[in-house]
Amino acid sequence: MKKPIATPSRTKEILETHQMSAKKNYGQNFLIESGIVEKIARSAIVSDNCVVFEIGPGIGALTQYLCEYAKKVVSFEIDERLPAVLQDTLQEYDNFELVMQDFLDVDLNAWVKKYKDLGMDVVVAANLPYYITTPILFKIFESGADISAITVMMQKEVADRFYAKVNTKEYNALSIVTQYRCEVSQVMKVPKNVFMPKPNVDSAVLQFRFKPKREDINEDVFFSLVKACFKQRRKTIRNNYQDFVQDKQKAQYQLELAHIAPERRAESVTIDEFIQLYEVYYNDK
């Protein structure tokens, strides 16, 4: 590597050369601490024969390190200003490919199959802006694509929800859906002062690895049940659940059969208990 992009001086130099500034509507904040960027890249790579799908390369700070450690990096970008910038900043790498397409519109299964057919492991890495974190992750979760790991930086308060434990204020339907599908681990916390421009909040890097799919659970029904139980957080689980089953007595009966006290709130119910409730609901149906 000639020169890390993720330093204050190099980032300023690139932005000035290309007469660029961060676009607020794309949620752009450029990383200016190379040690953090390198750690994210190292965490993202799971094998020696790995292709990384990167979402939003920006000016190439993370991309540069991914190119160092991965066999291939495919970056998806929507900012029309960036092809010329990346052609400049990543010119030393021949394992980089830029795709000018919104990742939310990408046929992810087709892209994954292309590299799996070559015997490669596929991972996703990104520094995600706040407004698109959940849609991006759920696109990946719901695709069913054979992805080994997802390593993403996001706003800390969003990360806290994905990573939340039972009986905390952050614990919600999103926590359960995510942790049902994935093992979630925190790679690192990232302070706001390592970005340019500096955002108002700290960030965190999480890694998601998929659990084996359970064939005995209809995920659409299970996730609908979970979301219904969190519909109004201050209500008891019985009051939320009775709207889902549309019968107060049935709700009481099914919760008791699942060994969940109807007076509890959803934030106190573990994933295993929600699975028990789903099984009772499904069998009773």
Side-chain angles (χ1 to χ4, degrees):
M1 183 187 298
K2 288 173 186 169
K3 202 176 186 182
I5 294 166
T7 65
S9 59
R10 180 74 178 121
T11 299
K12 278 180 189 167
E13 180 191 328
I14 292 164
L15 295 176
E16 284 168 10
T17 300
H18 295 275
Q19 298 179 318
M20 255 185 80
S21 60
K23 270 197 175 179
K24 269 193 178 177
N25 59 324
Y26 289 155
Q28 285 174 339
N29 299 94
F30 304 113
L31 270 163
I32 52 170
E33 174 51 67
S34 58
I36 287 173
V37 180
E38 182 172 19
K39 185 173 179 181
I40 297 167
R42 282 187 182 275
S43 302
I45 309 301
V46 299
S47 74
D48 293 334
N49 192 28
C50 199
V51 58
V52 183
F53 293 164
E54 184 191 20
I55 305 157
I59 60 173
L62 176 58
T63 325
Q64 183 181 42
Y65 280 99
L66 292 171
C67 287
E68 288 281 327
Y69 301 126
K71 264 274 175 68
K72 171 90 178 175
V73 179
V74 180
S75 296
F76 297 91
E77 181 55 69
I78 54 173
D79 188 340
E80 296 291 346
R81 303 172 301 166
L82 290 172
V85 179
L86 292 164
Q87 197 172 3
D88 171 26
T89 59
L90 301 175
Q91 59 184 281
E92 64 184 294
Y93 299 104
D94 59 9
N95 59 341
F96 170 69
E97 179 182 346
L98 180 64
V99 178
M100 292 303 292
Q101 189 179 1
D102 188 334
F103 185 78
L104 290 172
D105 298 330
V106 164
D107 183 343
L108 189 56
N109 282 284
W111 275 96
V112 170
K113 185 178 184 305
K114 175 181 173 181
Y115 289 100
K116 294 298 287 186
D117 287 350
L118 297 173
M120 298 177 81
D121 295 305
V122 180
V123 299
V124 172
N127 170 16
L128 292 176
Y130 169 74
Y131 74 97
I132 206 165
T133 300
T134 301
I136 289 276
L137 286 169
F138 272 80
K139 176 190 170 74
I140 301 168
F141 294 161
E142 287 163 6
S143 71
D146 188 2
I147 290 169
S148 299
I150 308 163
T151 307
V152 290
M153 176 151 52
M154 63 188 78
Q155 191 171 320
K156 186 181 175 297
E157 68 178 58
V158 181
D160 288 345
R161 284 180 221 140
F162 284 115
Y163 192 56
K165 302 303 174 205
V166 68
N167 283 316
T168 62
K169 69 179 187 335
E170 292 82 16
Y171 186 72
N172 62 11
L174 182 67
S175 318
I176 292 163
V177 170
T178 306
Q179 292 171 34
Y180 167 81
R181 284 210 169 114
C182 305
E183 296 291 348
V184 186
S185 58
Q186 185 171 266
V187 176
M188 65 194 300
K189 293 176 183 174
V190 184
K192 55 191 169 191
N193 61 357
V194 300
F195 292 94
M196 179 193 295
K198 186 163 84 171
N200 297 322
V201 292
D202 292 329
S203 297
V205 180
L206 296 186
Q207 186 167 84
F208 303 83
R209 289 182 180 247
F210 289 101
K211 295 175 179 175
K213 194 173 173 67
R214 287 186 57 162
E215 299 302 328
D216 60 326
I217 290 182
N218 179 324
E219 290 188 355
D220 289 341
V221 175
F222 177 56
F223 297 153
S224 295
L225 181 155
V226 170
K227 287 170 188 172
C229 289
F230 278 93
K231 194 169 185 181
Q232 295 189 58
R233 284 184 75 97
R234 297 182 68 82
K235 281 190 172 184
T236 64
I237 192 166
R238 176 182 50 218
N239 284 348
N240 280 326
Y241 187 60
Q242 74 187 31
D243 290 343
F244 180 72
V245 296
Q246 297 183 316
D247 185 317
K248 188 174 184 177
Q249 286 179 316
K250 187 185 276 189
Q252 176 92 12
Y253 167 73
Q254 289 184 358
L255 285 161
E256 287 174 353
L257 208 57
H259 307 294
I260 298 168
E263 297 76 28
R264 287 167 63 185
R265 289 202 172 97
E267 67 203 44
S268 74
V269 180
T270 66
I271 294 176
D272 287 341
E273 286 177 315
F274 271 115
I275 290 171
Q276 269 179 289
L277 179 58
Y278 162 83
E279 287 168 350
V280 168
Y281 166 80
Y282 210 75
N283 292 332
D284 198 36
K285 219 175 121 182

